[in-house]
Amino acid sequence: MPSLRSPRPHRLPGISLPAHLDLGSTTLSLPLERLFDDLPAIVFFIKDRGGRYLAVNTTLARRCGFSDKAALLGKRPSDLFPSVLAARYERQDQRVLTTGKPVLDQLELHLYPNRRRGWCLTNKYPVPDQATGEICAVIGISRDVEDSAHGAAVRGMPGLIRALEAIQARIDDPPGIEELAVMCGLTPAHFSRLVRRIFHLTPGRLAMKARIDEALHLLSTTHQSLAEIALGTGFCDQSAFTRHFRRLTGLPPGTFRAQTTNPKSEYRNPKQIPMD
C-alpha cells in the first residue's frame, strides 16, 4: 500500500519541502512547498523548537510585507507581529511542542505589518524526529474565514445571505439560531450543519466573530466608552465584553484601542521591517 512520508525536519532555515510517496517500485517526490504557495487564502509555516520559521509560503511573506519568503526564515513571530499577539502565537507553539497534541480550528485575529486585519482558523501539529520520536518542530496552516453576505451570494444561497445580513444588522441584539434557521428555511440542526460546512464555524462562533469585528471597528474609529461598545455589540456588561474580546483577540479591548489609536504604536506600524 502506498505510504506518504516527509523527510526528517531540517534544523536550518531555507529548507525545501518535498514529501515522498513510496509506491514500492518507485518513490515520488511531492513539492508541498510549491503547492502551498499556490493557495492565496492559506498561510503555511513550519517553526523549530525555538520558534524560528523554517519554511513559510508566499501568502505569509506577502502579508508580512515581504516580496521574498526567504526573508522570513530564521525570524520569530516576535520579530513580525505586535508583541501581545506574538506572545499568544508562541504560547500556542509551546503547548504543541510540550504536549505533542495539535491545536485545531483556533479562531483568531491576525494583524499584519501591512496593517491588514483578518480572521483565520488555525491548525498546528507537532512534528516528530523520525529517528528519535522527539517533537522538534511545529507545522501549521491558517485559513481565512470568509463569512460575508457576498460570499454567500457567490455560493447561490439567498437564505444564508438573509441570515448573515441579520447578524450584521442586529449586532446589539443578536438573533438566535432558531430565528436564523427560519430565515434560511431550515431546521436549526440543518442550519448549523450548513454554517459549519461553509464557514467551518458554529453559528454561535460566527455571530460572536461579527460582534467582535464591530467592536474592533468602534474601538479604532470612535471615542465611545468600553461600556457603550459592550452594550452596542450585544454584551450584558463591560466585563463580559472584555472576557470575550480577550479570548478571541488575545488582548483586552482597552489595550487594543490604545495601541491602534497611538500613531507610534506597533499596532499601527507593527514591526518596522525593511521591505525587499
Side-chain angles (χ1 to χ4, degrees):
M1 184 175 180
S3 63
L4 182 67
R5 57 187 174 84
S6 296
R8 184 186 305 178
H10 205 294
R11 299 187 185 278
L12 297 175
I15 62 173
S16 59
L17 293 173
H20 300 290
L21 182 62
D22 190 349
L23 301 177
S25 60
T26 186
T27 299
L28 302 181
S29 183
L30 308 178
L32 293 187
E33 189 169 1
R34 174 58 190 272
L35 177 65
F36 282 109
D37 281 340
D38 291 340
L39 300 175
I42 290 181
V43 161
F44 166 79
F45 54 87
I46 299 178
K47 303 175 193 173
D48 65 15
R49 289 192 66 89
R52 291 175 291 266
Y53 287 103
L54 297 177
V56 301
N57 69 341
T58 300
T59 300
L60 179 56
R62 288 176 178 169
R63 292 183 181 183
C64 289
F66 293 100
S67 59
D68 182 0
K69 61 185 182 180
L72 269 71
L73 303 183
K75 289 184 168 58
R76 296 180 171 88
S78 56
D79 298 320
L80 301 167
F81 301 102
S83 56
V84 175
L85 295 185
R88 187 186 193 191
Y89 304 153
E90 290 167 354
R91 284 195 300 271
Q92 277 184 354
D93 296 342
Q94 284 303 311
R95 186 162 76 246
V96 173
L97 290 166
T98 301
T99 67
K101 296 179 180 179
V103 169
L104 301 175
D105 289 332
Q106 180 73 44
L107 179 64
E108 55 191 18
L109 178 70
H110 284 191
L111 298 172
Y112 294 100
N114 62 6
R115 302 190 186 183
R116 183 184 183 277
R117 187 176 76 204
W119 292 91
C120 295
L121 282 171
T122 296
N123 290 355
K124 294 182 178 180
Y125 302 90
V127 180
D129 187 299
Q130 288 184 344
T132 67
E134 177 189 1
I135 304 302
C136 58
V138 173
I139 187 170
I141 61 169
S142 293
R143 60 183 182 273
D144 294 350
V145 175
E146 167 57 65
D147 62 353
S148 66
H150 172 72
V154 170
R155 295 180 175 94
M157 298 179 176
L160 190 56
I161 295 173
R162 289 192 292 274
L164 293 172
E165 289 177 340
I167 290 173
Q168 293 294 333
R170 293 171 51 186
I171 291 291
D172 61 339
D173 182 24
I177 185 173
E178 293 81 5
E179 185 178 350
L180 293 170
V182 169
M183 294 177 189
C184 295
L186 300 172
T187 66
H190 284 145
F191 175 71
S192 293
R193 286 197 291 271
L194 175 65
V195 170
R196 281 180 176 272
R197 178 167 61 85
I198 298 298
F199 304 120
H200 305 284
L201 296 171
T202 65
R205 292 179 84 190
L206 187 69
M208 180 60 69
K209 175 190 167 300
R211 293 161 68 189
I212 298 299
D213 263 336
E214 178 65 12
L216 290 166
H217 172 71
L218 295 174
L219 286 166
S220 58
T221 62
T222 76
H223 297 290
Q224 292 184 33
S225 68
L226 297 186
E228 290 172 324
I229 292 175
L231 295 177
T233 50
F235 294 95
C236 60
D237 56 32
Q238 182 177 329
S239 176
F241 167 55
T242 297
R243 184 170 63 254
H244 285 284
F245 188 97
R246 185 166 193 166
R247 179 170 58 84
L248 284 184
T249 68
L251 65 161
T255 300
F256 176 83
R257 164 172 275 173
Q259 296 283 359
T260 55
T261 56
N262 181 352
K264 296 183 180 180
S265 164
E266 62 176 343
Y267 283 82
R268 293 180 65 89
N269 302 279
K271 295 290 180 182
Q272 298 301 321
I273 305 170
M275 297 285 286
D276 292 329

